[in-house]
Amino acid sequence: MTATIHRLDRPEPSLEPLLQLVAGDMNAVNTVILDRMQSQIPLIPELAGHLIAGGGKRMRPMLTLASARLIGYTGTRHHRLAASVEFIHTATLLHDDVVDGSDLRRGRRTANIIWGNPASVLVGDFLFSRSFELMVEDGSLKVLKILSNASAVIAEGEVNQLTAARRIDLGEDRYLDIINAKTAALFAAACRISAVVAERSEGEEAALDAYGRNLGIAFQLVDDAIDYVSDAGTMGKDAGDDFREGKMTLPVILAYARGDADDRKFWKDAVEGRRSSDEDFARAIDLVRRTRAVDDTLARARHYGQRAIDAIAGFANGQAKDAMIEAVEFAVARAY
Amino acid sequence: MTATIHRLDRPEPSLEPLLQLVAGDMNAVNTVILDRMQSQIPLIPELAGHLIAGGGKRMRPMLTLASARLIGYTGTRHHRLAASVEFIHTATLLHDDVVDGSDLRRGRRTANIIWGNPASVLVGDFLFSRSFELMVEDGSLKVLKILSNASAVIAEGEVNQLTAARRIDLGEDRYLDIINAKTAALFAAACRISAVVAERSEGEEAALDAYGRNLGIAFQLVDDAIDYVSDAGTMGKDAGDDFREGKMTLPVILAYARGDADDRKFWKDAVEGRRSSDEDFARAIDLVRRTRAVDDTLARARHYGQRAIDAIAGFANGQAKDAMIEAVEFAVARAY
């Protein structure tokens, strides 16, 4: 197998090769994470630990580590920076759950439900500050620039999403802008910073950025599709959560665009909060299937997944590249 | 007049000399602030602008600018950094108002009341990220270290305050820990960074840090006293807000410690949320006056104010020093 002709059709892709690839490095990252989420204020490690120990895959720090392996970096600076990336992500999750009023994440009660919104907001702020302290300790202004910019872009994307909420006329372009900002920007930065610490070329930086960005978009597209195909028991996410919140995601955008007048009225009512019962959700599921809105959301995900794979085609073949390719395949296959 | 024998007894101190001192520089800072709070997402400048244009004194950036004048810095790097400090402060205010459920700040409706908690949380995150982008543009790792540490300390202080809420047994020491973190840390950092960009000695850095820290403590003590002496019409803060929220501040700590059994029961009930009527607040006002709890809170403020003044005694006399001394006098005189 060579990467350039690799296709997204191998049976049962798994995250296992990526986990294996970075297992040793991830132990070092976990040590940094556990050490640096500590505080003299007991609520901080208690609340942060709930989320950090709560079954997340640590996808973003894994990408930093895998990217470093792909380009042959042999130092340890990326351990601290991978922890920094995970802190930014954790802070974002804490604030997201407050913003969305979520009560369940990865099958567990959210921190805002257990400790309240104020604690989630403030511990998020703490982790965000800590992430910058870690970057400052590393000392690369270029890494600081990449991650401070990614953080600003994420926040802008979240506000963009907030103002787009319950707007049935949101198109695919603006939706892509939103997920590019709120999800893909940190995936991209997580990969890019490894090329920075390894002092690789702008071209290699850009290639890793593109891998992360396209994987991030694919990842979010599949997440948004899952809301219309899964149930909380299997995915740790409530199926229908997005629907009940009137969240505009690609399945809705496509189903609305392809629906008849009745269907469109249904979607408008749903997105504007006038239809959120179980029966309404059952109808939504039926509509997204009949219009192939979920299928085509997943087809879009495969498109971005293929772009992610092609972005790293120029790097040497080997265990790291194979694992990073299979991680993409896993990401786009999750909904099946 | 020489600074070392200066006493806090001049009539009617004013912030005017400080405002005059930094007026030119502040125009440059305001340009950076207005430029860098922009975003393609219209809600961001709209919400941020409400608070940033909302009558705040910009005390912290003024301190950065005044400190630079005090030590004879003639460059312009501190303009961008002063804006960065103001962004951190604004982000903190946005999140504070969400955490406290406040509806009024500086006499105007809070952003969370107008645009909702989610928008306030996310725009706060955006401004916080932007503040780091500004620091990265400046390029001093030492400034980044000082301000990222201050940010983490602020968040810790806010969580500490949250867990201390409604606890009548909070002592003066823990109260001081909290205001040191949530208020004084950023005052200290705002002053210190001017010595860093001017490449002054550690001793001068520490002196400016001490000025800012002690002024910050004095400032917060007076703020906490004002809650028991003023009304919203004059101060832009609702008198009794802290009381009704059961917030443990020094006036309560002292009045509780000095009260008889009946008084103590009253304070415990109030702090635990069982007494928050106008009559209850009238009794609280009476108790803090009779026990001299407000007077002594203000005496503590004068103590820290004097320490702030003494901290900069070693710098050259002149317009900057006089203005910084009078700013302290103004801060501690606000409640009279």
Side-chain angles (χ1 to χ4, degrees):
Chain A
M1 185 196 83
T2 66
T4 43
I5 60 157
H6 191 91
R7 305 286 279 257
L8 292 171
D9 53 10
R10 193 165 52 185
E12 290 188 43
S14 155
L15 212 51
E16 203 51 44
L18 187 68
L19 291 164
Q20 296 282 339
L21 178 77
V22 302
D25 287 321
M26 191 55 90
N27 283 338
V29 174
N30 287 336
T31 301
V32 178
I33 287 174
L34 291 173
D35 180 46
R36 301 309 294 273
M37 69 185 215
Q38 295 308 315
S39 161
Q40 290 193 300
I41 316 300
L43 177 58
I44 290 177
E46 195 182 336
L47 192 156
H50 173 76
L51 196 57
I52 286 171
K57 292 179 295 295
R58 305 206 179 165
M59 197 67 201
R60 292 153 193 82
M62 277 207 290
L63 292 175
T64 303
L65 301 176
S67 297
R69 288 292 293 272
L70 181 69
I71 59 178
Y73 175 66
T74 54
T76 57
R77 282 174 57 194
H78 60 326
H79 295 157
R80 192 182 260 156
L81 294 175
S84 174
V85 166
E86 184 68 0
F87 278 172
I88 292 175
H89 175 56
T90 307
T92 305
L93 292 187
L94 285 172
H95 288 185
D96 270 4
D97 284 341
V98 169
V99 165
D100 294 341
S102 308
D103 52 12
L104 202 64
R105 178 177 288 282
R106 299 170 191 153
R108 305 174 74 206
R109 290 166 73 213
T110 53
N112 47 307
I113 293 296
I114 301 175
W115 290 281
N117 285 341
S120 284
V121 170
L122 297 175
V123 174
D125 289 349
F126 172 79
L127 291 175
F128 197 55
S129 303
R130 246 316 122 82
S131 82
F132 278 93
E133 288 193 294
L134 284 165
M135 290 174 228
V136 171
E137 284 171 28
D138 174 68
S140 163
L141 280 166
K142 195 165 175 185
V143 168
L144 273 155
K145 182 175 180 177
I146 291 165
L147 287 174
S148 62
N149 179 253
S151 299
V153 167
I154 291 167
E156 271 186 312
E158 300 275 1
V159 178
N160 196 3
Q161 176 170 265
L162 188 69
T163 57
R166 303 196 178 280
R167 288 187 50 175
I168 191 64
D169 61 341
L170 187 84
E172 182 166 347
D173 282 353
R174 183 156 173 209
Y175 166 80
L176 280 172
D177 284 346
I178 290 170
I179 68 174
N180 215 317
K182 75 170 195 141
T183 306
L186 192 55
F187 273 70
C191 296
R192 180 185 277 265
I193 57 175
S194 279
V196 175
V197 296
E199 296 178 10
R200 294 307 189 89
S201 70
E202 286 287 334
E204 284 173 290
E205 265 187 50
L208 284 171
D209 186 291
Y211 170 83
R213 184 171 306 276
N214 284 292
L215 172 57
I217 294 172
F219 194 88
Q220 185 64 56
L221 284 165
V222 173
D223 244 30
D224 290 345
I226 283 174
D227 199 69
Y228 289 90
V229 293
S230 76
D231 60 74
T234 53
M235 300 302 302
K237 178 181 173 180
D238 287 336
D241 266 0
D242 293 348
F243 176 77
R244 288 185 198 92
E245 291 167 18
K247 199 176 272 184
M248 285 300 297
T249 60
L250 192 57
V252 177
I253 292 167
L254 295 178
Y256 175 76
R258 295 169 180 182
D260 61 21
D262 269 3
D263 297 342
R264 287 187 170 208
K265 181 168 186 330
F266 168 81
W267 283 114
K268 189 170 192 304
D269 287 344
V271 161
E272 292 175 1
R274 293 184 298 275
R275 282 185 174 275
S276 58
S277 70
D278 288 351
E279 293 70 36
D280 293 326
F281 183 52
R283 178 167 174 192
I285 294 264
D286 179 57
L287 287 177
V288 294
R289 284 189 182 153
R290 279 202 288 117
T291 57
R292 300 189 55 80
V294 164
D295 288 339
D296 285 348
T297 297
L298 295 171
R300 302 281 205 281
R302 286 193 296 277
H303 160 84
Y304 290 102
Q306 189 63 55
R307 283 178 60 176
I309 290 169
D310 288 330
I312 55 169
F315 293 101
N317 291 338
Q319 193 193 354
K321 195 187 208 170
D322 287 347
M324 288 173 77
I325 290 169
E326 192 165 339
V328 176
E329 296 170 333
F330 171 78
V332 299
R334 283 181 302 152
Y336 295 106
Chain B
M1 184 196 84
T2 66
T4 43
I5 59 156
H6 192 91
R7 304 287 280 259
L8 293 172
D9 51 12
R10 192 163 51 183
E12 291 186 43
S14 154
L15 213 51
E16 203 51 42
L18 187 68
L19 291 164
Q20 295 283 341
L21 179 76
V22 302
D25 287 321
M26 190 57 87
N27 283 338
V29 174
N30 286 337
T31 301
V32 178
I33 288 173
L34 291 173
D35 180 48
R36 303 310 294 274
M37 71 182 214
Q38 294 310 314
S39 162
Q40 291 193 298
I41 316 300
L43 177 57
I44 290 177
E46 195 182 336
L47 192 155
H50 173 76
L51 196 57
I52 285 171
K57 292 180 295 297
R58 306 208 178 163
M59 197 67 202
R60 292 153 192 81
M62 276 207 291
L63 291 175
T64 303
L65 300 176
S67 297
R69 289 292 294 272
L70 181 68
I71 58 179
Y73 175 68
T74 54
T76 57
R77 283 174 57 194
H78 60 326
H79 295 158
R80 193 182 259 154
L81 294 175
S84 175
V85 166
E86 185 68 359
F87 278 174
I88 292 175
H89 175 57
T90 308
T92 305
L93 291 187
L94 285 171
H95 288 185
D96 270 5
D97 285 339
V98 169
V99 165
D100 294 343
S102 308
D103 52 13
L104 202 63
R105 176 177 291 279
R106 300 171 192 152
R108 306 172 74 207
R109 291 165 74 213
T110 53
N112 48 306
I113 293 297
I114 300 174
W115 291 281
N117 285 340
S120 284
V121 169
L122 297 175
V123 174
D125 289 351
F126 173 79
L127 291 175
F128 198 54
S129 303
R130 245 318 122 82
S131 82
F132 278 95
E133 288 192 293
L134 284 165
M135 289 175 230
V136 170
E137 284 170 28
D138 174 69
S140 163
L141 279 166
K142 195 165 175 185
V143 168
L144 274 155
K145 182 175 180 178
I146 290 165
L147 287 174
S148 62
N149 180 254
S151 299
V153 166
I154 291 167
E156 271 185 311
E158 301 274 0
V159 178
N160 195 2
Q161 177 171 263
L162 188 70
T163 58
R166 303 197 178 280
R167 287 188 50 175
I168 191 63
D169 61 341
L170 187 85
E172 183 167 348
D173 281 353
R174 184 157 172 209
Y175 166 81
L176 280 172
D177 285 347
I178 290 170
I179 67 174
N180 215 318
K182 76 169 194 141
T183 306
L186 192 56
F187 273 70
C191 295
R192 180 186 278 266
I193 57 176
S194 278
V196 175
V197 296
E199 297 178 9
R200 294 308 189 89
S201 70
E202 286 287 335
E204 284 173 290
E205 264 188 49
L208 285 171
D209 187 291
Y211 170 83
R213 184 172 306 278
N214 284 293
L215 172 57
I217 294 172
F219 195 88
Q220 186 65 54
L221 283 164
V222 173
D223 244 29
D224 290 346
I226 283 174
D227 199 68
Y228 289 90
V229 293
S230 75
D231 60 76
T234 53
M235 300 303 300
K237 178 180 172 180
D238 286 337
D241 266 0
D242 293 349
F243 176 77
R244 287 185 198 91
E245 290 168 19
K247 199 175 273 184
M248 286 299 297
T249 60
L250 192 57
V252 176
I253 292 167
L254 295 179
Y256 175 76
R258 296 168 180 181
D260 61 22
D262 269 2
D263 298 342
R264 288 187 171 209
K265 181 167 185 328
F266 168 80
W267 284 114
K268 189 170 192 303
D269 287 345
V271 162
E272 292 175 1
R274 293 184 297 276
R275 282 185 174 275
S276 58
S277 70
D278 288 350
E279 293 70 35
D280 293 326
F281 182 52
R283 178 168 175 191
I285 293 263
D286 179 58
L287 287 178
V288 292
R289 285 189 181 155
R290 278 204 287 117
T291 57
R292 300 188 54 82
V294 164
D295 288 339
D296 285 349
T297 297
L298 294 171
R300 302 282 206 280
R302 286 193 296 275
H303 160 84
Y304 290 103
Q306 190 63 56
R307 283 178 60 177
I309 290 169
D310 287 331
I312 56 169
F315 292 101
N317 291 338
Q319 192 193 355
K321 195 186 207 172
D322 287 347
M324 289 173 77
I325 289 169
E326 192 165 340
V328 176
E329 296 170 331
F330 170 78
V332 299
R334 282 181 302 151
Y336 295 108

